[in-house]
Amino acid sequence: MLTIGSILFIILAVLLGIIVALFYDSYRRSPENPAVKSLWLTFVFIFAYASILALSSILFSHQPLILAWGYNLSLFLGFIAIFSSLDLPIFTSNFRLQKFLPLITWSSALASAIILIIQIVDFRLPIVNSNGVIFWNLNPISAWLTSIFILAFAITWAYLAYDGGHLLDNFRLRWKLYILGINMLALGLSAFFFFPAKNEATSFVSFILIAPAYLATIIVFLYFRLSPEKKVSG
């Protein structure tokens, strides 16, 4: 059944699908570039996360048990997206981060494991209100740990994207990295509101934060794809 919540998830899934298609085209053009592959895989898993939430909310809005397991599966895929992005050069090539990368990896693994264990041990059924908005009814520790973990990772991602971008002479690569950093920052802020959400306003704020960022990513990447290349340095 189509509800307000499912429509919002569908919009996000469509925007992410376009981003995945753009990145796949870049990967197809440069299959030997590991950075392009890692970026594509990251957004494939984010797309899978949003798609499962969308399909679950459409097909199983009256079956809370299946809806809950759909959420847990999507969360697992979201964590896989995080680990996929750790192979990007903004992490692996940043000399100031090198000694901390194992700590970031193991901390991310530990946080992901704790969240998923809490989700299974304290298994709760989501609540769908009269307007069709889904509240996931999460354990408070799981909800806040998920939101803070994703926000912290997104802030780190955005900072590293800016830190690496301003060193690039290639104008296109620089601004692609900047827009991806903004995208990840918006994703982190959206997650901060989304997971602990207890009312419609908070859920809507999470959508408003992320949808424009996805749209901006599509516009920037399409603009650079369709416009002639100009070598600009500085």
Side-chain angles (χ1 to χ4, degrees):
M1 183 180 73
L2 279 177
T3 63
I4 294 175
S6 62
I7 290 172
L8 295 181
F9 285 134
I10 290 170
I11 292 172
L12 293 181
V14 168
L15 292 174
L16 280 164
I18 296 172
I19 293 173
V20 168
L22 288 170
F23 288 162
Y24 175 74
D25 186 54
S26 297
Y27 170 59
R28 185 176 55 83
R29 293 165 183 254
S30 306
E32 73 288 346
N33 189 331
V36 175
K37 181 180 180 181
S38 294
L39 189 59
W40 172 59
L41 286 175
T42 296
F43 276 91
V44 164
F45 287 117
I46 296 175
F47 170 68
Y49 159 85
S51 297
I52 289 174
L53 288 181
L55 289 173
S56 298
S57 61
I58 294 170
L59 300 176
F60 306 113
S61 60
H62 295 299
Q63 301 180 55
L65 181 63
I66 299 177
L67 197 59
W69 281 110
Y71 168 85
N72 287 336
L73 176 59
S74 68
L75 190 62
F76 173 76
L77 292 171
F79 292 150
I80 295 295
I82 288 176
F83 286 104
S84 178
S85 69
L86 288 173
D87 286 332
L88 290 168
I90 59 169
F91 285 96
T92 59
S93 299
N94 189 304
F95 71 94
R96 286 175 292 184
L97 193 70
Q98 287 299 308
K99 61 181 179 180
F100 298 109
L101 193 55
L103 177 62
I104 293 174
T105 301
W106 283 105
S107 298
S108 299
L110 180 62
S112 302
I114 290 173
I115 291 166
L116 291 172
I117 289 170
I118 292 174
Q119 284 297 113
I120 294 172
V121 172
D122 188 11
F123 188 82
R124 302 185 182 191
L125 298 179
I127 299 169
V128 183
N129 72 3
S130 57
N131 292 324
V133 177
I134 300 170
F135 301 108
W136 297 106
N137 190 30
L138 305 174
N139 176 291
I141 296 175
S142 172
W144 282 107
L145 183 57
T146 304
S147 62
I148 292 171
F149 168 47
I150 295 177
L151 177 60
F153 189 86
I155 290 173
T156 303
W157 210 108
Y159 169 75
L160 293 174
Y162 172 77
D163 190 51
H166 82 277
L167 299 175
L168 294 173
D169 289 332
N170 187 295
F171 176 80
R172 289 170 177 250
L173 291 178
R174 186 192 313 154
W175 278 98
K176 284 180 179 180
L177 207 51
Y178 285 165
I179 197 66
L180 286 173
I182 293 172
N183 190 314
M184 287 298 172
L185 183 59
L187 190 151
L189 290 171
S190 175
F192 185 77
F193 287 97
F194 174 74
F195 291 102
K198 296 291 184 183
N199 55 64
E200 292 183 24
T202 308
S203 296
F204 189 67
V205 166
S206 70
F207 171 79
I208 290 298
L209 283 168
I210 192 58
Y214 287 159
L215 187 58
T217 301
I218 292 170
I219 291 172
V220 169
F221 275 75
L222 272 179
Y223 171 76
F224 285 137
R225 175 63 51 81
L226 299 175
S227 62
E229 177 140 17
K230 297 177 181 178
K231 294 189 181 287
V232 180
S233 61

